[in-house]
Amino acid sequence: MPSGAVGRERGERILGSTLGRGGAALLAGALPALAFPAPGLWWFAYVALVPLLLLIRSAGTGRRAALDGWLGGTGYMLAVHHWLMPSLHVFIVVLAALLGLLWAPWGLLVNRLLRGSVSGSGVVVAVVVVPCGWLMIETVRSWEGLGGPWGLLGASQWQVSPALRLASVGGVWLVSLLVVAVNTALALLLTGRTARTVAVVTLLAAAVAVGSVWVWAPQPEQSGTARIAVVQPGVVEGPGSVQRRFARSEELTRSLAGQDVDLVVWGESSVGVDPARRPDVAARIAALSRLVGADVLVNVDARQTDASGRTGIFKSAVLVGPQGLTGERYDKMRLVPFGEYIPARSALGWATSMGKAAGEDRLRGTGPVTMKLPGAHGLRIGPLVCFESAFPDMSRRLTRDGARLLIAQSSTSSFQHGWAPGQHASLGALRAAENGRPMVHATLTGVSAVYGPQGQPVGAPLGTDTSGAAVYGVPLARGTTLYVRLGDWPVYGALGVLAAFCAFEGVRYVRRRDRAEPVGAVAAVVPAGGGGSLGSARWTEETPAESAPQ
């Protein structure tokens, strides 16, 4: 038997077994993770879903298609969050399986639209509807309580200029739609001649559309430059690490003296005490501000009291000037589940015994804040803390509130040798392009990076092996992007498409059932020998079975 035939037979045997098919679904779902940093194979995103789509297409039943979708989604969530295993251990498998359930309806949708011989019009419908279904999954799981929008498929295109321009029109959501649409069209290329022709035309149309957006999409105009310094102390562990990290940050900040900076940014949790309660700490930071001639934006992770009188552990961006605390403070609003709080702690508090789950819930801030820098020609900045940079709506809100520079203070030191630092830093490019505003991603231990208002990198990033400070000439911009003006319109559009598709399918089902019922009714009452008049058939249909002659 030829080797190709042997391979096909072996593959069919594997997919024919429940265990083999389940493993294939998990693996196929995990493939898109290779498009994100650290592998960074951005081009792979456009083909990575094809194996999963074809697998679901081959499902013989709706139940099997939903199971394939669930397992594929579980594989995807495990792959893009695998770096959480040191913190959550086996619990990450449970979370991935629960979130993977969001892909079960998508599996039914894919099977419905791709199975069998797909007509030309069916190709067009599939290329539109399948991505909309995927986008609904991304929208639902972007809720903070479900872990937030980490690993959105469109975010894999953070270094692709046409994709960034697309993000300025419809956010990362529009990029996700494009990536899934290309995957769907490529999968359909393999299903038949009719589908192949229309799929090629669809791909060409998508390329023309993206090219058109690249040309005509309005972009903010550059307006000046700000000199922003990022201080990254590096990994500091062991006894007294909080104090030694602070001392190292002081040392690096002093090295910036005479470099004419407009703002110095420290990473997340760079200050372990409340400077409002520790005048000595506030005085040390103020002395640094006077030395470098610029305000210092630090991040406090400590027990504090907010403006409303609540006392607890807050993560706060705090601006310190030459005279001390400026009063400008932003308290983190969206917290990391299990990392900074335990959802339903009374029921899930046991998770603290597994890994590094939060022993005490952090308190949330009450609203976004923009801060004005008096020493930088009135530059207004919009601070975010940690994974808040993953939420498109937060940076959009800050931009609408007048921020001309977005700043994310982060720390991924717990995942220093994994993919998390690179993935987190890459989000800055998407947020910058979406809003037409430069973004500074400052961390304690790397990767720290800066992006211009079109998502382009500015200067060299500070890697995870770096302890140092760097000054970036950050280009500023005025004006707004279409995404800032229109918001998450691709999400609402996708919802509308799905609603219309479901309505169409519902009407078609009712009509098909109505056409089939009379035939079924007559067939049910015709005697076994095939005889009987129409009148007798009608009489038998209307007579209860128990009263019919025996």
Side-chain angles (χ1 to χ4, degrees), residues 419-451:
W419 293 1
Q423 287 185 23
H424 201 177
S426 70
L427 295 174
L430 268 297
R431 302 293 87 84
E434 287 170 344
N435 297 280
R437 295 292 183 269
M439 186 160 195
V440 174
H441 181 82
T443 73
L444 289 181
T445 59
V447 176
S448 296
V450 178
Y451 303 95

Side-chain angles (χ1 to χ4, degrees), residues 77 99 102 140-148 337 341:
M77 296 306 293
L99 289 171
L102 294 171
V140 172
R141 76 176 184 85
S142 292
W143 178 48
E144 174 200 346
L146 293 179
Y341 78 103

Side-chain angles (χ1 to χ4, degrees), residues 504-518:
F504 175 80
E505 288 290 295
V507 170
R508 190 166 71 164
Y509 171 77
V510 170
R511 289 179 176 174
R512 187 166 56 240
R513 186 187 62 181
D514 289 344
R515 287 195 300 268
E517 277 183 351

